[in-house]
Amino acid sequence: MAQKVQGTEDLYGGYMRAWQRMQDVARELFGAYGFDMIETPAIEQVDTFVHGIGESTDVVRKEMFRVVSGALFSDLLALGDESRLKPRQRMAMRPEGTAGVVRAVVENNLVPQGAAPAKLWYAEAMFRGERPQKGRLRQFHQVGVEWLGASDPAADAECIIMLMEYFERLGFARESLRLVINSMGDAACRPAYREKVRAFIMDHADEMCEDCLERAQVNPLRAFDCKNDHCREVMAAAPLAPDNLCEECAAHYASVKRYLDAAGVAYVEDPTLVRGLDYYTRTVFEVEAVGAGVGAIGGGGRYDGLVELEGGKPTPGLGFAVGFERIALALAEQGVELGGEAPACVYVACTPGEVERAAAFDACRALRAAGVRTEADYQGRSLKGQFKQADKFGALLCVILGGNEVAAGVATLRDMVSHEQVEVPFGRLADEVLARLG
Ligand code: AMP
């Protein structure tokens, strides 16, 4: 039997409805904040991610699924490495949404000089070659927003407020969420801070793991994220970002916190929160569903240098992404079924016979034209079998068409809950059904 790729999932039934619900809630809420939907290609040039996410990140170095056409694949094997491929021939599946959206904003000039910011949201599959486990997939789904052209700290706060409101609308109890924030500084203060952390790691070189020693060379801040307990213990004494902010960054961070306080949004400051990607500046944040055991369910931050890295004019930006699969797991843990019930339907049943079948065919058309989800029998079932099937579908109403009804130009309408039955003239069937469905 053919099998799906490890770490991927099929979305159908209630799980698919849950993913659709996440998109519906996003469309409504993010729309109220002025965000429009965007979809960028699932494949981009590798350089888009290298520039944006950072050469030294795990995502770029180890987790990107690289894409080659069949024809190029043989060349690649013959060449032995990809160095002779042109940049446009080096492609990867997107591991996250921001780099591609920022590339699209630059390429389509969506924030021209002097224009209002671009506010975009997406709902897309992402691809990372990680070791699959609970809440960690190789193809997963994110809803995210990118806000390009806004430098005001109110934008950072509004982004976070919108994110927390989104989680609430999906069904999370506010107390079950832990919002963690930090400021990582900017181009003015971060380089000096990075050097301090690098020097700290080198001073403790004999106590740190190989990976952290490598991180010290490429991106020392990542050592705060080390999975090794001992490295984390050592890093607890390392210099902290909020203590090393320049005046502007400190003022920006203080302002974000004031806005969050004014909106009554609770947060915890974690001076070691650095997030995995290179592009963040100033505000970073992450949200965890307490006790769900699935890790972060969403996170984001400001990335004021990213548009330039993707070849655009200096443009501030910020955004976040949340993971569908982890949210579904965390909500299930709290007893919330994100997908809800299957949609209600009406079942059209008929006795055997060509005339009755034709009447059922017409009834289905009339009900569907009125927007009613309508089911019927397509497998030659007896009337009793059709009633059973109507129950399986969870039909609220059943339209019954026997020889007598058809001859009289009426249909019997049966309420599947109260079992009450009424006769309805054929021409009024759709109106009557709509009225009863409320
Ligand atoms: P990140 O950009 O890595 O912070 O990802 C944002 C969100 O996407 C996370 O908070 C998770 O909810 C989700 N996520 C990231 N990686 C995975 C993965 N491999 N499988 C499932 N969800 C993921």
Side-chain angles (χ1 to χ4, degrees), residues 23 178 224 293 346 382:
Q23 297 178 47
R178 186 166 180 268
F224 285 111
V346 170
S382 66

Side-chain angles (χ1 to χ4, degrees), residues 128 130 135-137 140 142 275 277 296-299 321-323 326:
R128 292 186 197 173
E130 301 193 86
R136 189 173 296 284
L137 292 148
F140 58 100
Q142 286 186 338
R275 310 244 325 118
L277 316 179
I297 54 171
V322 306
R326 289 193 197 170

Side-chain angles (χ1 to χ4, degrees), residues 46 49-50 53-64 66 95:
V46 165
F49 302 121
V50 170
I53 300 172
E55 188 118 44
S56 67
T57 57
D58 283 351
V59 168
V60 165
R61 284 197 310 177
K62 303 186 209 151
E63 295 168 5
M64 265 192 330
R66 310 290 287 253

Side-chain angles (χ1 to χ4, degrees), residues 65-403:
F65 280 110
R66 310 290 287 253
V67 178
V68 248
S69 68
L72 257 182
F73 187 62
S74 340
D75 289 354
L76 204 57
L77 290 179
L79 286 171
D81 71 64
E82 63 166 8
S83 58
R84 273 184 276 168
L85 293 185
K86 299 183 183 75
R88 65 179 164 79
Q89 292 175 314
R90 289 202 290 267
M91 296 175 286
M93 307 292 290
R94 60 172 171 239
E96 55 96 64
T98 305
V101 172
V102 169
R103 193 267 314 138
V105 165
V106 172
E107 197 168 342
N108 301 296
N109 194 23
L110 299 183
V111 194
Q113 201 78 46
K119 297 166 95 170
L120 303 162
W121 74 276
Y122 59 81
E124 288 168 350
M126 304 295 162
F127 307 86
R128 292 186 197 173
E130 301 193 86
R131 204 166 54 78
Q133 51 184 289
K134 185 184 170 195
R136 189 173 296 284
L137 292 148
R138 293 180 149 184
Q139 175 173 345
F140 58 100
H141 297 78
Q142 286 186 338
V143 166
V145 310
E146 312 298 345
W147 189 346
L148 278 308
S151 55
D152 192 322
D156 307 45
E158 284 188 11
C159 235
I160 295 173
I161 293 163
M162 183 170 91
L163 172 64
M164 298 313 282
E165 207 174 321
Y166 183 55
F167 283 131
E168 271 188 280
R169 287 200 193 185
L170 292 177
F172 282 101
R174 184 58 78 104
E175 326 72 78
S176 72
L177 298 174
R178 186 166 180 268
L179 165 65
V180 184
I181 64 169
N182 188 25
S183 174
M184 298 178 63
D186 65 2
C189 53
R190 180 127 117 225
Y193 172 59
R194 273 167 70 127
E195 283 316 307
K196 269 196 191 176
V197 177
R198 186 199 312 277
F200 175 88
I201 297 173
M202 296 326 288
D203 283 349
H204 296 79
D206 51 344
E207 300 170 71
M208 309 285 288
C209 72
E210 285 292 312
D211 282 347
C212 279
L213 295 181
E214 201 187 321
R215 287 180 185 119
Q217 301 315 317
V218 283
N219 191 345
L221 302 192
R222 192 97 9 85
F224 285 111
D225 273 345
C226 187
K227 304 211 163 51
N228 187 317
D229 287 343
H230 188 64
C231 289
R232 279 213 307 278
E233 274 166 35
V234 176
M235 288 304 288
L240 297 173
D243 301 332
N244 288 276
L245 298 178
C246 60
E247 224 172 280
E248 285 81 6
C249 285
H252 187 99
Y253 190 36
S255 184
V256 173
K257 288 187 279 184
R258 269 198 306 276
Y259 281 121
L260 291 178
D261 292 337
V265 170
Y267 55 86
V268 180
E269 288 181 72
D270 177 356
T272 68
L273 177 69
V274 290
R275 310 244 325 118
L277 316 179
D278 273 356
Y279 54 58
Y280 289 109
T281 53
R282 294 193 168 171
T283 319
V284 287
F285 49 92
E286 228 163 58
V287 181
E288 192 193 326
V290 180
V294 294
I297 54 171
R302 179 168 277 287
Y303 45 76
D304 289 343
L306 183 57
V307 175
E308 269 178 282
L309 290 174
E310 295 289 2
K313 298 182 302 288
T315 310
L318 68 161
F320 64 72
V322 306
F324 158 66
E325 289 80 2
R326 289 193 197 170
I327 287 174
L329 282 170
L331 278 174
E333 201 74 33
Q334 297 187 14
V336 179
E337 188 52 63
L338 187 56
E341 301 274 302
C345 78
V346 170
Y347 192 93
V348 177
C350 64
T351 49
E354 227 169 88
V355 183
E356 293 92 316
R357 187 65 191 85
F361 182 80
D362 287 345
C364 284
R365 285 181 55 214
L367 289 169
R368 287 167 184 159
V372 177
R373 187 179 170 106
T374 308
E375 278 295 349
D377 168 47
Y378 302 93
Q379 291 152 305
R381 286 187 163 76
S382 66
L383 193 58
K384 200 169 147 209
Q386 292 176 53
F387 288 151
K388 269 199 193 148
Q389 206 186 28
D391 274 332
K392 276 208 184 115
F393 276 122
L396 297 176
L397 296 169
C398 192
V399 176
I400 306 161
L401 293 159

